[in-house]
């Protein structure tokens, strides 16, 4: 009967290790997508907090840029429909 709890614990440990690896991989991929202002393209590890904060900042930059583009289109008398944009992107 002792083998049951041991196996269950080993399975749980392996599952937790996979979960942690997936999180680590996700942060690595996210960090690769961000525009870091490192001298010489440093590959120094960044904290998860720094990666998340930079992600938030980058998303805000993209949203502001999108708003500026939409405002420019509106000033030219063009319609800006977010649903049209999403449909156009999925058709590509």
């Amino acid at each position: 009967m002792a083998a049951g709890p041991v196996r269950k614990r080993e399975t749980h440990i392996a599952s937790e290790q996979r979960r942690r690896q997936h999180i680590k991989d996700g942060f690595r991929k996210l960090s690769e997508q961000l525009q870091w202002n490192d001298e010489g393209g440093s590959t120094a590890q960044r904290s998860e907090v720094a990666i998340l904060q930079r992600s938030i900042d980058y998303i805000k930059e993209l949203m502001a840029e999108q708003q500026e583009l939409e405002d420019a289109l509106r000033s030219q008398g063009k319609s800006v429909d977010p649903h049209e944009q999403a449909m156009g992107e999925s058709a590509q």
Side-chain angles (χ1 to χ4, degrees), residues 50-61:
I51 293 169
L52 290 175
Q53 186 59 54
R54 181 63 186 113
S55 298
I56 291 167
D57 294 343
Y58 186 59
I59 290 168
K60 287 179 180 179
E61 289 172 20

Side-chain angles (χ1 to χ4, degrees), residues 75-91:
S75 71
Q76 296 173 8
K78 297 182 180 178
S79 173
V80 178
D81 182 5
H83 299 295
E84 270 184 33
Q85 291 174 350
M87 290 174 56
E89 291 171 1
S90 64

Side-chain angles (χ1 to χ4, degrees), residues 24-44:
K24 184 178 176 182
D25 291 344
F27 273 102
R28 181 187 50 77
K29 289 176 185 177
L30 183 58
S31 181
E32 289 171 359
Q33 295 299 312
L34 298 173
Q35 299 171 359
W36 297 93
N37 294 325
D38 291 340
E39 305 236 344
S42 171
T43 57

Side-chain angles (χ1 to χ4, degrees), residues 62-63 65-74 78-92:
L62 291 174
M63 291 173 71
E65 183 180 335
Q66 179 180 2
Q67 187 62 49
E68 288 175 15
L69 293 170
E70 289 175 1
D71 291 344
L73 286 173
R74 284 188 188 100
K78 297 182 180 178
S79 173
V80 178
D81 182 5
H83 299 295
E84 270 184 33
Q85 291 174 350
M87 290 174 56
E89 291 171 1
S90 64
Q92 293 177 352

